[in-house]
Amino acid sequence: MKTKHVQYETFGTCSRLIDVTADENDVIQQVFFVGGCNGNLQGISKLVCGQKIDDVIARLNGIRCGTKATSCPDQLCRALEQLKKAPVEDV
């Protein structure tokens, strides 16, 4: 299987890093958050796995956390935007 992978350092959120992998068809295979609200972020990770990158971005882009300008779901969209540009590699 061919995949692409990024590790995205977040800003403005409690999570510090998002590690995300997708296949060559831009279907998300796995997502790991470092830091943040563990239960909520595990739930988001499970919900987005198997989804197309563009579909997840369309649903989660711009979500805010309280008075913050961003959120963990919004930061996941930034990571996914980088992932779309990442090179595809053989696993």
Side-chain angles (χ1 to χ4, degrees):
M1 178 200 297
K2 295 183 179 191
T3 64
K4 45 190 172 179
H5 173 256
V6 295
Q7 288 187 327
Y8 176 80
E9 290 186 30
T10 62
F11 71 93
T13 61
C14 299
S15 65
R16 297 181 307 278
L17 182 92
I18 304 171
D19 184 295
V20 60
T21 304
D23 68 15
E24 61 192 313
N25 299 312
D26 284 345
V27 175
I28 300 167
Q29 299 300 307
Q30 60 183 349
V31 178
F32 297 105
F33 286 84
V34 176
C37 303
N38 189 39
N40 290 334
L41 296 176
Q42 283 184 54
I44 290 170
S45 297
K46 297 249 185 221
L47 288 170
V48 302
C49 283
Q51 302 294 313
K52 297 282 279 182
I53 289 173
D54 287 336
D55 293 340
V56 172
I57 291 172
R59 287 185 188 111
L60 301 181
N61 191 39
I63 291 176
R64 297 174 60 152
C65 184
T67 59
K68 296 178 183 178
T70 190
S71 66
C72 291
D74 186 58
Q75 289 294 292
L76 174 59
C77 293
R78 305 294 78 75
L80 293 174
E81 288 167 351
Q82 282 189 5
L83 185 62
K84 284 175 59 170
K85 300 174 189 173
V88 176
E89 300 175 357
D90 285 318
V91 176

Coordinates of all heavy atoms in Angstrom, one line a residue:
M1 N 0.8 -1.2 0.0 CA 0.0 0.0 0.0 C 0.9 1.2 0.0 O 1.9 1.3 0.6 CB -0.9 0.0 1.2 CG -1.8 1.3 1.3 SD -2.5 1.8 2.8 CE -3.5 0.5 3.3
K2 N 0.5 2.3 -0.7 CA 1.2 3.5 -0.7 C 0.5 4.5 0.2 O -0.8 4.6 0.3 CB 1.2 4.1 -2.1 CG 2.0 3.2 -3.1 CD 2.1 3.9 -4.4 CE 3.0 2.9 -5.3 NZ 3.3 3.6 -6.6
T3 N 1.3 5.2 1.0 CA 0.7 6.2 2.0 C 1.5 7.5 2.0 O 2.6 7.6 1.4 CB 0.8 5.6 3.4 OG1 2.1 5.4 3.8 CG2 0.0 4.3 3.5
K4 N 0.9 8.4 2.6 CA 1.6 9.7 2.9 C 1.4 10.0 4.4 O 0.4 9.6 5.0 CB 1.2 10.8 2.0 CG -0.2 11.0 1.7 CD -0.4 12.0 0.6 CE -1.8 12.0 0.1 NZ -2.0 13.0 -1.0
H5 N 2.3 10.8 5.0 CA 2.4 10.9 6.4 C 2.9 12.3 6.7 O 3.8 12.8 6.1 CB 3.3 9.8 7.0 CG 3.5 10.0 8.4 ND1 4.7 10.5 8.9 CD2 2.7 9.8 9.5 CE1 4.7 10.5 10.2 NE2 3.5 10.1 10.6
V6 N 2.3 13.0 7.7 CA 2.9 14.2 8.3 C 2.8 14.2 9.8 O 1.9 13.5 10.4 CB 2.2 15.5 7.7 CG1 2.4 15.7 6.3 CG2 0.7 15.6 8.1
Q7 N 3.7 14.9 10.4 CA 3.6 15.3 11.8 C 3.5 16.8 11.9 O 4.4 17.5 11.5 CB 4.8 14.8 12.6 CG 4.8 13.3 12.8 CD 5.9 12.9 13.7 OE1 7.0 13.5 13.7 NE2 5.7 11.8 14.4
Y8 N 2.3 17.3 12.4 CA 2.0 18.7 12.3 C 2.1 19.2 13.8 O 1.4 18.7 14.6 CB 0.6 18.9 11.7 CG 0.2 20.3 11.7 CD1 0.6 21.2 10.8 CD2 -0.7 20.8 12.7 CE1 0.2 22.6 10.8 CE2 -1.2 22.1 12.7 CZ -0.7 23.0 11.8 OH -1.1 24.3 11.8
E9 N 2.9 20.3 14.0 CA 3.0 20.9 15.3 C 1.9 22.0 15.3 O 1.8 22.9 14.5 CB 4.3 21.6 15.5 CG 5.4 20.6 15.7 CD 6.8 21.2 16.0 OE1 6.8 22.3 16.6 OE2 7.8 20.6 15.6
T10 N 1.0 21.8 16.3 CA -0.2 22.7 16.4 C 0.2 24.0 17.1 O 1.2 24.1 17.7 CB -1.3 22.0 17.3 OG1 -0.8 21.8 18.6 CG2 -1.7 20.7 16.6
F11 N -0.7 24.9 16.9 CA -0.6 26.2 17.7 C -2.0 26.6 18.2 O -3.0 26.4 17.5 CB 0.0 27.3 16.8 CG -0.9 27.8 15.7 CD1 -1.7 28.9 15.9 CD2 -0.9 27.1 14.5 CE1 -2.5 29.4 14.9 CE2 -1.8 27.6 13.5 CZ -2.6 28.7 13.7
G12 N -2.0 27.3 19.3 CA -3.2 27.8 19.9 C -4.2 26.8 20.5 O -5.3 27.1 20.8
T13 N -3.7 25.6 20.7 CA -4.5 24.5 21.3 C -3.7 23.8 22.4 O -2.5 23.9 22.5 CB -4.9 23.5 20.2 OG1 -3.7 22.9 19.7 CG2 -5.7 24.1 19.1
C14 N -4.5 23.0 23.2 CA -3.8 22.2 24.2 C -3.0 21.0 23.6 O -2.0 20.6 24.2 CB -4.9 21.6 25.2 SG -5.8 22.9 26.0
S15 N -3.5 20.5 22.5 CA -2.7 19.5 21.8 C -1.4 20.1 21.3 O -1.4 21.3 20.9 CB -3.5 18.8 20.7 OG -3.8 19.7 19.7
R16 N -0.3 19.3 21.2 CA 1.0 19.9 20.7 C 1.4 19.4 19.3 O 2.1 20.0 18.6 CB 2.0 19.5 21.7 CG 1.8 20.1 23.1 CD 2.9 19.8 24.1 NE 3.2 18.4 24.2 CZ 2.5 17.5 25.0 NH1 1.5 17.9 25.7 NH2 2.8 16.2 25.0
L17 N 0.8 18.2 19.0 CA 1.3 17.6 17.7 C 0.2 16.7 17.2 O -0.6 16.1 18.0 CB 2.5 16.7 18.0 CG 3.1 16.0 16.7 CD1 4.2 16.9 16.1 CD2 3.7 14.7 17.1
I18 N 0.0 16.6 15.9 CA -0.9 15.7 15.2 C -0.1 14.9 14.2 O 0.6 15.4 13.4 CB -2.1 16.4 14.5 CG1 -2.8 17.4 15.5 CG2 -3.0 15.4 13.9 CD1 -3.8 18.3 14.8
D19 N -0.2 13.6 14.4 CA 0.5 12.6 13.5 C -0.6 12.0 12.7 O -1.5 11.3 13.2 CB 1.2 11.6 14.3 CG 2.0 10.6 13.5 OD1 1.4 9.9 12.7 OD2 3.3 10.7 13.6
V20 N -0.6 12.2 11.3 CA -1.7 11.7 10.5 C -1.1 11.0 9.2 O -0.1 11.4 8.7 CB -2.7 12.8 10.2 CG1 -2.0 13.9 9.4 CG2 -3.9 12.3 9.4
T21 N -1.8 9.9 8.9 CA -1.4 9.1 7.7 C -2.6 8.9 6.8 O -3.7 8.6 7.3 CB -0.8 7.7 8.1 OG1 0.2 7.9 9.0 CG2 -0.4 6.9 6.9
A22 N -2.5 9.0 5.5 CA -3.5 8.7 4.5 C -3.0 7.8 3.4 O -1.8 7.7 3.2 CB -4.1 10.0 3.9
D23 N -3.9 7.1 2.7 CA -3.4 6.3 1.6 C -3.3 7.2 0.4 O -3.6 8.4 0.4 CB -4.3 5.1 1.4 CG -5.7 5.4 1.0 OD1 -6.0 6.6 0.5 OD2 -6.6 4.6 1.0
E24 N -2.9 6.5 -0.7 CA -2.7 7.3 -2.0 C -4.0 7.9 -2.6 O -3.9 8.8 -3.4 CB -2.0 6.3 -3.0 CG -2.9 5.1 -3.3 CD -2.1 4.1 -4.1 OE1 -1.4 4.5 -5.1 OE2 -2.2 2.9 -3.8
N25 N -5.1 7.5 -2.1 CA -6.4 8.0 -2.5 C -6.9 9.1 -1.6 O -8.1 9.4 -1.7 CB -7.4 6.9 -2.7 CG -7.0 5.9 -3.7 OD1 -6.6 6.2 -4.8 ND2 -7.0 4.6 -3.3
D26 N -6.1 9.6 -0.7 CA -6.5 10.6 0.3 C -7.5 10.2 1.3 O -8.3 11.0 1.8 CB -6.9 11.9 -0.4 CG -5.7 12.7 -1.0 OD1 -4.6 12.4 -0.6 OD2 -6.0 13.6 -1.7
V27 N -7.5 8.9 1.6 CA -8.4 8.4 2.7 C -7.5 8.3 3.9 O -6.5 7.6 3.9 CB -9.0 7.0 2.3 CG1 -9.8 6.4 3.4 CG2 -9.8 7.1 1.0
I28 N -8.0 8.9 5.0 CA -7.3 8.9 6.3 C -7.2 7.5 6.9 O -8.2 6.9 7.0 CB -7.9 9.9 7.2 CG1 -7.9 11.3 6.6 CG2 -7.2 9.9 8.6 CD1 -8.8 12.3 7.3
Q29 N -6.0 7.1 7.2 CA -5.8 5.8 7.8 C -5.6 5.8 9.3 O -6.1 4.9 10.0 CB -4.5 5.1 7.1 CG -4.7 4.9 5.6 CD -5.8 4.1 5.3 OE1 -6.0 2.9 5.7 NE2 -6.7 4.5 4.4
Q30 N -4.9 6.8 9.8 CA -4.8 6.9 11.3 C -4.4 8.3 11.7 O -3.8 9.1 10.9 CB -3.7 5.9 11.8 CG -2.3 6.1 11.3 CD -1.4 5.0 11.8 OE1 -1.8 4.3 12.8 NE2 -0.2 4.9 11.3
V31 N -4.9 8.7 12.9 CA -4.6 10.0 13.4 C -4.3 9.8 14.9 O -5.0 9.1 15.6 CB -5.8 10.9 13.3 CG1 -5.6 12.3 13.9 CG2 -6.3 11.1 11.9
F32 N -3.2 10.5 15.3 CA -2.8 10.5 16.7 C -2.5 12.0 17.1 O -1.9 12.7 16.4 CB -1.5 9.7 17.0 CG -1.6 8.3 16.7 CD1 -1.0 7.7 15.5 CD2 -2.3 7.4 17.5 CE1 -1.1 6.4 15.2 CE2 -2.4 6.0 17.2 CZ -1.8 5.6 16.0
F33 N -3.1 12.3 18.3 CA -2.9 13.7 18.9 C -2.0 13.5 20.0 O -2.1 12.5 20.8 CB -4.2 14.3 19.4 CG -5.1 14.8 18.3 CD1 -6.0 13.9 17.6 CD2 -5.1 16.1 17.9 CE1 -6.9 14.4 16.7 CE2 -6.0 16.6 16.9 CZ -6.9 15.7 16.3
V34 N -1.0 14.4 20.2 CA -0.2 14.4 21.4 C -0.6 15.6 22.3 O -0.6 16.8 21.8 CB 1.3 14.6 21.1 CG1 2.2 14.7 22.3 CG2 1.8 13.4 20.2
G35 N -1.1 15.4 23.5 CA -1.6 16.4 24.3 C -3.1 16.6 24.1 O -3.7 15.9 23.2
G36 N -3.7 17.5 24.7 CA -5.1 17.8 24.5 C -6.0 17.0 25.4 O -5.6 16.2 26.3
C37 N -7.3 17.0 25.1 CA -8.3 16.3 25.8 C -8.4 14.9 25.2 O -9.0 14.6 24.2 CB -9.7 17.0 25.6 SG -9.7 18.7 26.2
N38 N -7.7 14.0 25.9 CA -7.5 12.6 25.4 C -8.8 11.9 24.9 O -8.8 11.4 23.7 CB -6.8 11.8 26.5 CG -6.4 10.4 25.9 OD1 -5.9 10.3 24.8 ND2 -6.5 9.4 26.7
G39 N -9.8 11.9 25.6 CA -11.0 11.2 25.2 C -11.6 11.8 24.0 O -12.0 11.1 23.0
N40 N -11.8 13.1 24.0 CA -12.4 13.8 22.8 C -11.5 13.6 21.5 O -12.0 13.3 20.5 CB -12.5 15.3 23.1 CG -13.6 15.6 24.1 OD1 -14.5 14.8 24.2 ND2 -13.4 16.7 24.8
L41 N -10.2 13.7 21.7 CA -9.3 13.5 20.5 C -9.2 12.1 20.0 O -9.1 11.9 18.8 CB -7.9 14.1 20.8 CG -8.0 15.6 21.1 CD1 -6.6 16.1 21.5 CD2 -8.5 16.4 20.0
Q42 N -9.4 11.1 20.9 CA -9.5 9.7 20.5 C -10.8 9.6 19.7 O -10.8 8.9 18.6 CB -9.5 8.8 21.7 CG -8.1 8.6 22.3 CD -8.2 7.5 23.4 OE1 -8.7 6.4 23.2 NE2 -7.8 7.9 24.6
G43 N -11.8 10.2 20.1 CA -13.1 10.1 19.4 C -13.0 10.7 18.0 O -13.5 10.1 17.0
I44 N -12.4 11.9 17.9 CA -12.2 12.6 16.6 C -11.4 11.7 15.7 O -11.7 11.5 14.5 CB -11.6 14.0 16.8 CG1 -12.6 14.9 17.4 CG2 -11.1 14.5 15.4 CD1 -12.0 16.2 17.9
S45 N -10.3 11.1 16.3 CA -9.4 10.3 15.5 C -10.2 9.1 14.9 O -10.1 8.8 13.7 CB -8.3 9.7 16.3 OG -7.5 10.8 16.7
K46 N -11.0 8.4 15.7 CA -11.8 7.3 15.2 C -12.8 7.7 14.2 O -13.1 7.0 13.2 CB -12.5 6.6 16.4 CG -11.5 6.0 17.4 CD -11.6 4.5 17.3 CE -10.7 4.0 18.4 NZ -10.0 2.8 18.0
L47 N -13.5 8.9 14.4 CA -14.5 9.3 13.4 C -13.9 9.7 12.1 O -14.6 9.5 11.1 CB -15.2 10.5 14.0 CG -16.2 10.2 15.2 CD1 -16.7 11.5 15.8 CD2 -17.3 9.3 14.7
V48 N -12.7 10.2 12.0 CA -12.2 10.7 10.7 C -11.5 9.5 10.0 O -11.3 9.6 8.7 CB -11.3 11.9 10.8 CG1 -12.0 13.1 11.5 CG2 -10.0 11.6 11.6
C49 N -11.1 8.5 10.6 CA -10.4 7.4 9.9 C -11.4 6.8 8.9 O -12.5 6.5 9.3 CB -9.9 6.3 10.9 SG -8.4 6.9 11.7
G50 N -10.9 6.5 7.7 CA -11.7 6.0 6.7 C -12.4 7.0 5.8 O -13.1 6.7 4.9
Q51 N -12.3 8.3 6.3 CA -12.9 9.4 5.5 C -11.9 10.1 4.6 O -10.7 10.0 4.8 CB -13.4 10.5 6.5 CG -14.4 10.0 7.6 CD -15.7 9.6 6.9 OE1 -16.2 10.3 6.1 NE2 -16.1 8.4 7.3
K52 N -12.4 10.7 3.5 CA -11.6 11.4 2.6 C -11.1 12.7 3.2 O -11.9 13.4 4.0 CB -12.4 11.8 1.3 CG -12.8 10.6 0.5 CD -11.8 10.0 -0.3 CE -11.5 10.7 -1.6 NZ -10.5 10.1 -2.4
I53 N -9.9 13.1 3.0 CA -9.3 14.3 3.5 C -10.2 15.5 3.3 O -10.5 16.3 4.2 CB -7.9 14.5 3.0 CG1 -6.9 13.5 3.5 CG2 -7.4 16.0 3.3 CD1 -5.5 13.5 2.9
D54 N -10.6 15.7 2.0 CA -11.4 16.9 1.7 C -12.7 16.9 2.5 O -13.2 18.0 2.8 CB -11.6 17.0 0.2 CG -10.4 17.4 -0.5 OD1 -9.5 18.1 0.1 OD2 -10.3 17.1 -1.8
D55 N -13.3 15.8 2.7 CA -14.6 15.7 3.4 C -14.4 16.1 4.9 O -15.2 16.9 5.4 CB -15.2 14.3 3.4 CG -15.6 13.9 2.0 OD1 -15.9 14.8 1.1 OD2 -15.8 12.7 1.8
V56 N -13.3 15.7 5.5 CA -13.0 16.1 6.9 C -12.8 17.6 7.0 O -13.3 18.3 7.9 CB -11.9 15.2 7.5 CG1 -11.4 15.7 8.8 CG2 -12.3 13.8 7.5
I57 N -12.0 18.1 6.1 CA -11.7 19.5 6.1 C -13.0 20.3 5.9 O -13.2 21.3 6.7 CB -10.7 19.9 5.0 CG1 -9.3 19.3 5.3 CG2 -10.6 21.4 4.8 CD1 -8.3 19.4 4.2
A58 N -13.9 19.9 5.1 CA -15.1 20.6 4.9 C -16.0 20.6 6.1 O -16.7 21.6 6.4 CB -15.9 20.0 3.7
R59 N -15.9 19.6 6.9 CA -16.7 19.5 8.1 C -16.1 20.2 9.3 O -16.9 20.7 10.2 CB -17.0 18.0 8.5 CG -17.9 17.3 7.6 CD -18.2 15.9 8.1 NE -18.9 15.2 7.1 CZ -18.5 14.2 6.4 NH1 -17.2 13.7 6.5 NH2 -19.2 13.6 5.5
L60 N -14.8 20.2 9.5 CA -14.2 20.6 10.7 C -13.5 22.0 10.6 O -13.1 22.6 11.6 CB -13.1 19.6 11.2 CG -13.7 18.2 11.5 CD1 -12.6 17.2 11.9 CD2 -14.8 18.2 12.5
N61 N -13.3 22.5 9.4 CA -12.5 23.7 9.2 C -13.2 24.9 9.9 O -14.4 25.0 9.8 CB -12.4 24.0 7.7 CG -11.4 25.1 7.5 OD1 -10.4 25.2 8.1 ND2 -11.7 25.9 6.5
G62 N -12.5 25.6 10.7 CA -13.0 26.8 11.3 C -13.6 26.7 12.7 O -14.0 27.6 13.3
I63 N -13.7 25.4 13.2 CA -14.3 25.2 14.5 C -13.4 25.9 15.5 O -12.1 25.8 15.5 CB -14.4 23.7 14.8 CG1 -15.5 23.1 13.9 CG2 -14.7 23.5 16.3 CD1 -15.6 21.6 14.1
R64 N -14.0 26.6 16.5 CA -13.2 27.3 17.5 C -13.4 26.6 18.8 O -14.5 26.0 19.1 CB -13.6 28.7 17.5 CG -13.3 29.5 16.2 CD -13.9 30.8 16.2 NE -13.3 31.6 17.3 CZ -13.2 32.9 17.3 NH1 -13.6 33.6 16.3 NH2 -12.6 33.5 18.3
C65 N -12.5 26.8 19.7 CA -12.6 26.3 21.1 C -12.7 27.5 22.0 O -11.8 28.2 22.3 CB -11.3 25.5 21.4 SG -11.4 24.7 23.1
G66 N -13.9 27.7 22.5 CA -14.2 28.8 23.4 C -13.9 30.1 22.7 O -14.3 30.3 21.6
T67 N -13.0 30.9 23.3 CA -12.7 32.2 22.7 C -11.4 32.1 21.9 O -11.0 33.1 21.3 CB -12.4 33.2 23.9 OG1 -11.4 32.8 24.7 CG2 -13.7 33.5 24.7
K68 N -10.8 30.9 21.8 CA -9.6 30.8 21.0 C -10.0 30.9 19.5 O -11.1 30.6 19.1 CB -9.0 29.4 21.2 CG -8.5 29.2 22.6 CD -7.9 27.8 22.8 CE -7.4 27.6 24.2 NZ -6.9 26.2 24.4
A69 N -9.0 31.3 18.7 CA -9.2 31.4 17.2 C -9.2 30.1 16.5 O -9.5 30.1 15.3 CB -8.2 32.4 16.7
T70 N -8.9 29.0 17.2 CA -8.7 27.7 16.6 C -9.2 26.7 17.5 O -9.7 27.0 18.6 CB -7.3 27.5 16.1 OG1 -7.2 26.3 15.3 CG2 -6.3 27.4 17.2
S71 N -9.0 25.4 17.2 CA -9.4 24.3 18.0 C -8.6 23.1 17.5 O -8.0 23.1 16.5 CB -10.9 24.0 17.9 OG -11.2 23.5 16.6
C72 N -8.6 22.0 18.2 CA -8.0 20.8 17.8 C -8.5 20.3 16.4 O -7.8 19.9 15.5 CB -8.0 19.7 18.9 SG -7.0 20.1 20.3
P73 N -9.9 20.3 16.3 CA -10.4 19.9 14.9 C -9.9 20.8 13.8 O -9.6 20.4 12.7 CB -11.9 19.9 15.1 CG -12.1 19.7 16.6 CD -11.0 20.4 17.2
D74 N -9.9 22.1 14.1 CA -9.4 23.1 13.1 C -7.9 22.8 12.8 O -7.5 22.9 11.7 CB -9.6 24.5 13.6 CG -9.3 25.6 12.6 OD1 -9.9 25.5 11.5 OD2 -8.4 26.4 12.9
Q75 N -7.1 22.5 13.8 CA -5.7 22.3 13.6 C -5.5 20.9 12.8 O -4.6 20.8 12.0 CB -5.0 22.2 15.0 CG -4.8 23.5 15.6 CD -3.9 24.5 14.8 OE1 -2.7 24.2 14.7 NE2 -4.5 25.5 14.2
L76 N -6.4 20.0 13.0 CA -6.4 18.8 12.2 C -6.6 19.1 10.8 O -5.9 18.6 9.9 CB -7.5 17.8 12.7 CG -7.6 16.5 11.8 CD1 -6.3 15.7 11.8 CD2 -8.8 15.7 12.4
C77 N -7.4 20.1 10.5 CA -7.6 20.5 9.1 C -6.3 21.1 8.5 O -5.9 20.8 7.3 CB -8.7 21.6 9.0 SG -10.3 20.9 9.3
R78 N -5.5 21.9 9.3 CA -4.2 22.4 8.9 C -3.3 21.2 8.6 O -2.5 21.2 7.6 CB -3.6 23.3 9.9 CG -4.4 24.5 10.4 CD -4.7 25.6 9.3 NE -5.8 25.2 8.4 CZ -7.1 25.2 8.7 NH1 -7.5 25.5 9.9 NH2 -8.0 24.9 7.8
A79 N -3.3 20.2 9.4 CA -2.4 19.0 9.2 C -2.8 18.3 7.9 O -2.0 17.9 7.2 CB -2.5 18.1 10.4
L80 N -4.1 18.2 7.7 CA -4.6 17.5 6.5 C -4.3 18.2 5.2 O -4.0 17.6 4.2 CB -6.1 17.2 6.6 CG -6.6 16.3 7.7 CD1 -8.1 16.2 7.8 CD2 -6.0 14.9 7.5
E81 N -4.3 19.6 5.3 CA -3.9 20.4 4.2 C -2.4 20.1 3.8 O -2.1 20.0 2.6 CB -4.1 21.9 4.4 CG -5.6 22.2 4.4 CD -5.9 23.6 5.0 OE1 -5.0 24.2 5.6 OE2 -7.0 24.0 4.9
Q82 N -1.6 20.0 4.8 CA -0.2 19.6 4.6 C -0.1 18.2 4.0 O 0.7 17.9 3.1 CB 0.6 19.7 5.8 CG 1.0 21.1 6.2 CD 2.0 21.2 7.3 OE1 2.5 20.1 7.8 NE2 2.3 22.4 7.8
L83 N -0.9 17.3 4.6 CA -0.9 15.9 4.2 C -1.2 15.7 2.7 O -0.6 14.9 2.0 CB -1.8 15.1 5.0 CG -1.8 13.6 4.8 CD1 -0.4 13.0 5.1 CD2 -2.9 12.9 5.7
K84 N -2.2 16.5 2.2 CA -2.6 16.5 0.8 C -1.4 16.7 -0.1 O -1.3 16.2 -1.2 CB -3.7 17.5 0.5 CG -5.0 17.1 1.0 CD -6.1 18.1 0.8 CE -6.2 18.5 -0.6 NZ -7.4 19.4 -0.9
K85 N -0.4 17.6 0.3 CA 0.7 17.9 -0.5 C 1.9 17.0 -0.3 O 2.9 17.1 -1.0 CB 1.2 19.3 -0.1 CG 0.1 20.4 -0.4 CD 0.6 21.7 0.2 CE -0.6 22.7 0.1 NZ -0.2 24.0 0.8
A86 N 1.8 16.1 0.7 CA 3.0 15.2 1.1 C 3.2 14.2 0.0 O 2.2 13.8 -0.7 CB 2.7 14.5 2.4
P87 N 4.4 13.8 -0.2 CA 4.7 12.7 -1.2 C 4.2 11.4 -0.8 O 4.1 11.0 0.4 CB 6.2 12.7 -1.3 CG 6.7 13.2 0.0 CD 5.6 14.2 0.5
V88 N 3.7 10.6 -1.8 CA 3.2 9.2 -1.6 C 4.4 8.3 -1.5 O 5.3 8.4 -2.4 CB 2.2 8.8 -2.7 CG1 1.8 7.4 -2.5 CG2 1.0 9.7 -2.7
E89 N 4.5 7.4 -0.5 CA 5.6 6.5 -0.4 C 5.1 5.0 -0.3 O 4.0 4.8 0.2 CB 6.4 6.8 0.9 CG 7.0 8.2 0.8 CD 7.7 8.6 2.1 OE1 7.7 7.8 3.0 OE2 8.2 9.7 2.1
D90 N 5.9 4.1 -0.7 CA 5.5 2.7 -0.5 C 5.8 2.3 1.0 O 6.7 2.7 1.6 CB 6.4 1.8 -1.4 CG 5.9 1.8 -2.8 OD1 4.7 1.8 -3.1 OD2 6.8 1.9 -3.7
V91 N 4.9 1.5 1.5 CA 5.0 1.0 2.9 C 5.5 -0.4 2.9 O 5.1 -1.2 2.1 CB 3.6 1.1 3.6 CG1 3.8 0.6 5.0 CG2 3.2 2.6 3.7

